[in-house]
């Protein structure tokens, strides 16, 4: 029997030791950028307590259906180039808390990895919650037979975030997960009124960490209210705001991932 | 696929209930085996022992959020500093974020280690009247990762409550990781919801945060944990050059204010973004002391005062019953 992941060419995880640094944001924008480069992308959201992905594509009210090979992922639009799976689609009421201990979370993650009928995808992006616990251990174990491409680690510039991301790097080393690179998110804010740049969450910590750890630095993404607004409303930031301050950085991250995969194939 | 759609059987007793997996309604539920396995729920006798150990704690405040990165640890640290400003009060700050312990850095205690004495583990003291405990103090290198599944995390939380020699405390502040999982269930079960004054819930203005915070509020209601109120953090940014305000995390669905109205909880206050906050946290200094003139400082101070008032009333209420 053909595995549900047999048609997926590249699997990559988006991790961070730290919460609220922009993992789901980067997962979403990476998916949108890859789609604009003609790729078919899936996002598997394994954050069971705080699933953010459905809303970021404005499909939070959708349901999940079954087919012979398992669960059908939710398509974001007609051309079916982005598909999603998240516990967010399985909750009866969106405000229902998923108050599960580890073993139950692990069981669902194994199902998410094995039982979603993704079909053929160029990329499967796995968005994770913060930390180095049940969800991460289970996801990496379940994905291991499918040889993931690696992980992108997201941080904000300040030391408090970088401190947690250092631990995530250790997690990657211990679990044999290749680090594709580090993204420094929320790196500076340019005032839309006077163009003064303020480093609200400091600057440079992500880049320094990449250097210190000997992993690629994928770039700095600035704070951008247009990006926040797009995510709130489930809009396609990459298509709608190409002149926005965050766009070049996000496009560059996607390009580096694409370059990395084409090198791998050749 | 098993557990299709994830719908719970009617009459489901709840996964954290003592009846989980054992009730009549559980028959045939694909998760029955997991729930019945008990999944490391604390045993009542043990929980009673822990509460006895913590009898000398006058007030306990949990700092929660469904969402990560909204400022729980920042707030916990400042609440601790704020309450400890009264030298007559003894304050304890317990960090139960096992995977991402931020408190040691924020309190300027990085590199400190825990010492054992005859009476147990000693908290690490920032001031004479402010003691701190975190898994961060048990790690020997900043690169050390704590890659533990739930049961092991629960075990450490139990040790923090049982083996730390806190002494007589006026305020125990518990900083938590994001989510509604092992750590949160355990702390509520070990401490007993009745013995916690309440939870302060932190959010940022945008819907992406609020949607997780509503779940946290539901969690509190499910486990009967009183909610002191909600703090809206990162609420607007004033450019230091032109003084215009920008909503970096826009309240597209009405922010915490609307959510609090809808869910009938108190909004304790809103705190604006200030680059000095992050800097102070990184340096391990109290932002309240470093930037006394910042609008964010007055917001924090007002919120801390409201929490103190809530605790005083709560205490008074308990005395009345006795």
């Amino acid at each position: 029997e053909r595995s549900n992941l047999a048609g997926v060419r590249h699997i990559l995880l988006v991790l961070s030791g730290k919460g609220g640094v922009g993992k789901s944001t980067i997962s979403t924008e990476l998916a949108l950028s890859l789609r604009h480069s003609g790729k078919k992308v899936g996002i598997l959201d394994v954050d069971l307590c705080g699933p953010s992905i459905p809303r970021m594509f404005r499909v939070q009210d959708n349901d999940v259906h079954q087919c012979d090979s398992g669960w059908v992922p939710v398509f974001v639009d007609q051309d079916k180039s982005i598909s999603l799976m998240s516990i967010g689609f399985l909750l009866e009421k969106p405000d229902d808390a998923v108050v599960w201990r580890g073993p139950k979370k692990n069981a669902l993650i194994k199902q998410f990895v094995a039982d979603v009928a993704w079909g053929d995808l160029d990329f499967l992006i796995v968005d994770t919650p913060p930390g180095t616990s049940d969800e991460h251990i289970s996801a990496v174990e379940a994905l291991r037979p499918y040889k993931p491409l690696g992980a992108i680690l997201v941080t904000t510039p300040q030391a408090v975030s970088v401190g947690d991301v250092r631990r995530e790097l250790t997690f990657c080393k211990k679990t044999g997960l290749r680090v594709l690179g580090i993204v420094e998110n929320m790196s500076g804010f340019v005032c839309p009124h006077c163009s003064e740049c303020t480093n609200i969450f400091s600057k440079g910590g992500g880049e320094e960490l990449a250097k210190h750890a000997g992993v690629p630095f994928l770039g700095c993404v600035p704070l951008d209210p247009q990006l926040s607004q797009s995510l709130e409303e489930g809009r396609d930031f990459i298509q709608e705001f190409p002149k926005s301050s965050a766009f070049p950085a996000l496009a560059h991250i996607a390009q580096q991932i694409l370059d990395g995969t084409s090198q791998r194939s050749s | 696929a098993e557990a299709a759609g994830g719908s719970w059987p009617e009459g489901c007793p709840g996964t954290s209930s003592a009846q989980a997996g054992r009730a009549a309604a559980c028959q045939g539920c694909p998760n029955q085996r997991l729930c019945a396995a008990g999944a490391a729920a604390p045993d009542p006798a043990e929980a009673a022992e822990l509460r006895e150990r913590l009898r000398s704690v006058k007030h306990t405040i949990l700092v929660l959020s469904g969402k990560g990165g909204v400022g729980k640890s920042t707030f916990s640290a400042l609440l601790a500093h704020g309450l400890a400003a009264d030298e007559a009060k003894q304050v304890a700050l317990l960090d139960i974020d096992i995977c991402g312990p931020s408190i040691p850095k924020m309190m300027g205690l990085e590199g400190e280690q825990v010492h054992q004495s005859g009476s147990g583990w000693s908290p690490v003291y920032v001031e004479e009247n402010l003691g701190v405990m975190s898994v961060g103090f048990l790690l020997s290198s900043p690169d050390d990762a704590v890659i533990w599944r739930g049961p092991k995390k629960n075990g450490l939380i139990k040790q923090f409550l049982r083996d730390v020699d806190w002494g007589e405390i006026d305020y125990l502040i518990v900083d938590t990781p994001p989510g509604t999982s092992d750590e949160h269930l355990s702390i509520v079960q070990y401490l007993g919801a009745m013995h916690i004054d309440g939870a302060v819930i932190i959010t940022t203005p945008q819907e992406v945060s609020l949607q997780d915070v509503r779940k946290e509020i539901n969690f509190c209601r499910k486990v009967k944990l009183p909610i002191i109120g909600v703090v809206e953090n990162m609420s607007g940014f004033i450019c230091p050059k032109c003084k215009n305000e920008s909503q970096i995390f826009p309240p597209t669905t009405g922010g915490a204010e609307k959510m609090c109205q809808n869910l009938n909880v108190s909004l304790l206050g809103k705190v604006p973004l200030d680059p000095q906050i992050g800097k102070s946290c990184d340096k391990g200094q109290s932002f309240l002391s470093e930037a006394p003139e910042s609008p964010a400082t007055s917001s924090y101070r007002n919120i801390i005062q409201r929490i103190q008032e809530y605790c005083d009333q709560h205490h008074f209420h308990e005395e009345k019953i006795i």
Side-chain angles (χ1 to χ4, degrees), chain B residues 46-102:
Chain B
E46 218 170 31
E49 183 203 330
L50 289 172
R51 287 200 285 280
E52 179 59 33
R53 178 87 163 128
L54 296 164
R55 227 157 50 103
S56 55
V57 176
K58 290 210 182 83
H59 298 288
T60 302
I61 301 159
L62 254 52
V63 181
L64 303 174
S65 178
K67 187 85 184 69
V70 295
K72 288 176 291 310
S73 299
T74 302
F75 184 77
S76 300
L78 294 179
L79 179 59
H81 278 298
L83 293 171
D86 177 355
E87 286 172 7
K89 300 285 186 208
Q90 199 65 30
V91 181
L93 176 54
L94 172 59
D95 176 9
I96 61 167
D97 188 340
I98 312 281
C99 297
S102 304

Side-chain angles (χ1 to χ4, degrees), chain A residues 17-21 47-53 55-56 60 64 66 70-71 87-108 111 115 130-135 137-138 141 157-161 163-164 166-168 170-171 174-175 186 189 191-194 196 198-202 209 212 223-225 228-229 231-233, chain B residues 1-8 15-16 31 34-35 38-42 66-69 99-102 105-106 139 141-151 153-154 178-183 185-186 189 205-209 211-212 214-216 218-219 222 234 237 239-242 244-253 263 273-275 278-279 281-282:
Chain A
K18 187 89 184 67
V21 296
D47 188 341
L48 305 183
C49 298
S52 305
I53 294 288
R55 197 185 180 85
M56 291 182 174
Q60 63 270 31
V64 162
Q66 296 238 8
W71 289 341
I87 199 178
F89 300 126
L90 306 177
L91 298 172
E92 272 187 35
K93 284 179 271 177
D95 297 343
D96 278 346
V98 173
V99 186
W100 292 356
R101 288 190 183 273
K104 206 163 170 188
K105 292 198 278 187
N106 299 335
L108 185 61
Q111 277 192 276
D115 294 346
T132 49
S133 188
D134 288 278
E135 296 88 334
I137 300 170
S138 296
E141 271 174 14
Q158 37 177 164
V160 158
S161 293
D164 285 349
R166 282 177 81 162
R167 293 186 247 265
E168 201 74 17
T170 303
F171 172 83
K174 286 199 163 162
T175 54
M186 306 200 201
F189 172 67
C191 176
H193 305 278
C194 70
E196 166 90 350
T198 309
N199 292 325
I200 300 185
F201 301 115
S202 282
L209 177 62
H212 165 88
L223 279 163
D224 182 348
S228 315
Q229 190 89 21
L231 293 161
E232 289 279 284
E233 295 167 0
Chain B
E2 267 194 307
S7 51
W8 322 141
T15 56
S16 45
N31 292 309
L34 280 168
C35 287
K67 187 85 184 69
C99 297
S102 304
K105 187 174 206 71
M106 290 187 179
L139 302 172
S141 149
D143 294 318
D144 280 349
V146 180
I147 308 173
W148 290 356
R149 290 191 182 277
K153 292 195 281 187
N154 299 334
T180 49
S181 188
D182 285 276
E183 298 87 335
L185 277 169
S186 293
Q189 286 169 345
Q206 61 308 26
E207 179 58 25
V208 150
S209 294
Q211 72 181 1
D212 288 350
R214 287 191 202 98
K215 292 191 224 274
E216 198 75 16
N218 272 322
F219 166 80
K222 241 185 188 169
M234 306 196 201
F237 172 68
C239 176
K241 188 168 179 211
C242 70
N244 280 301
E245 191 182 24
S246 294
Q247 290 293 341
I248 298 184
F249 302 112
T252 59
T253 55
L263 296 179
L273 275 164
D274 182 332
K279 287 206 186 83
C281 285
D282 280 357

Side-chain angles (χ1 to χ4, degrees), chain B residues 15 63 79 98 152 159 186 200 217 251 266 272-273 286 294 301 321:
Chain B
T15 56
V63 181
L79 179 59
I98 312 281
K152 208 161 167 191
Q159 275 196 281
S186 293
V200 176
I217 292 174
S266 244
L273 275 164
S286 165
S294 166
R301 287 207 186 279
I321 293 174

Side-chain angles (χ1 to χ4, degrees), chain B residues 232-272:
Chain B
E232 183 181 272
N233 214 6
M234 306 196 201
S235 193
F237 172 68
I238 299 193
C239 176
K241 188 168 179 211
C242 70
K243 311 296 179 200
N244 280 301
E245 191 182 24
S246 294
Q247 290 293 341
I248 298 184
F249 302 112
T252 59
T253 55
E257 199 158 348
K258 185 110 189 289
M259 178 190 71
C260 288
Q261 268 169 21
N262 290 344
L263 296 179
N264 201 23
V265 295
S266 244
L267 177 63
L268 294 173
K270 299 190 202 185
V271 185

Side-chain angles (χ1 to χ4, degrees), chain A residues 5 11 113 139-148:
Chain A
L5 288 174
I11 298 173
V113 172
V140 169
E141 271 174 14
L143 289 167
R144 187 159 301 162
Y146 306 100
K147 299 192 181 24

Side-chain angles (χ1 to χ4, degrees), chain A:
Chain A
E1 198 187 295
R2 198 177 183 240
S3 133
N4 274 321
L5 288 174
V8 175
R9 291 184 63 207
H10 304 292
I11 298 173
L12 60 92
L13 286 84
V14 179
L15 303 174
S16 178
K18 187 89 184 67
V21 296
K23 290 176 289 308
S24 299
T25 299
I26 295 294
S27 299
T28 298
E29 301 311 320
L30 183 56
L32 291 169
S33 299
L34 292 170
R35 170 174 66 185
H36 286 295
S37 302
K39 303 297 179 191
K40 276 192 86 178
V41 187
I43 304 183
L44 174 59
D45 176 8
V46 300
D47 188 341
L48 305 183
C49 298
S52 305
I53 294 288
R55 197 185 180 85
M56 291 182 174
F57 288 92
R58 207 170 21 191
V59 289
Q60 63 270 31
D61 296 327
N62 283 40
D63 287 320
V64 162
H65 303 286
Q66 296 238 8
C67 67
D68 287 337
S69 8
W71 289 341
V72 181
V74 172
F75 291 103
V76 154
D77 56 21
Q78 301 278 25
D79 68 351
K80 296 193 173 183
S81 49
I82 297 184
S83 50
L84 314 175
M85 182 51 66
S86 167
I87 199 178
F89 300 126
L90 306 177
L91 298 172
E92 272 187 35
K93 284 179 271 177
D95 297 343
D96 278 346
V98 173
V99 186
W100 292 356
R101 288 190 183 273
K104 206 163 170 188
K105 292 198 278 187
N106 299 335
L108 185 61
I109 288 173
K110 279 206 196 105
Q111 277 192 276
F112 270 174
V113 172
D115 294 346
V116 177
W118 295 106
D120 290 327
L121 290 178
D122 294 293
F123 289 93
L124 177 62
I125 298 170
V126 182
D127 184 29
T128 63
T132 49
S133 188
D134 288 278
E135 296 88 334
H136 314 85
I137 300 170
S138 296
V140 169
E141 271 174 14
L143 289 167
R144 187 159 301 162
Y146 306 100
K147 299 192 181 24
L149 195 58
I152 293 178
L153 268 59
V154 183
T155 186
T156 52
Q158 37 177 164
V160 158
S161 293
V162 169
D164 285 349
V165 179
R166 282 177 81 162
R167 293 186 247 265
E168 201 74 17
L169 281 167
T170 303
F171 172 83
C172 291
K173 209 182 291 188
K174 286 199 163 162
T175 54
L177 192 54
R178 185 170 147 234
V179 176
L180 299 171
I182 292 179
V183 171
E184 181 177 302
N185 201 16
M186 306 200 201
S187 191
F189 172 67
V190 176
C191 176
H193 305 278
C194 70
S195 301
E196 166 90 350
C197 180
T198 309
N199 292 325
I200 300 185
F201 301 115
S202 282
K203 188 137 178 95
E207 190 162 8
E208 264 172 52
L209 177 62
K211 217 183 296 184
H212 165 88
V215 299
F217 181 59
L218 298 176
C220 290
V221 183
L223 279 163
D224 182 348
Q226 282 182 322
L227 175 58
S228 315
Q229 190 89 21
S230 284
L231 293 161
E232 289 279 284
E233 295 167 0
R235 291 154 69 185
D236 184 342
F237 174 79
I238 300 292
Q239 180 162 289
E240 294 181 23
F241 298 104
K243 294 203 173 49
S244 170
S245 57
F247 177 86
L250 293 168
H252 183 53
I253 293 168
Q255 192 56 52
Q256 291 176 87
I257 299 296
L258 282 169
D259 291 344
T261 54
S262 63
Q263 272 178 17
R264 240 194 173 197
S265 325
S266 60

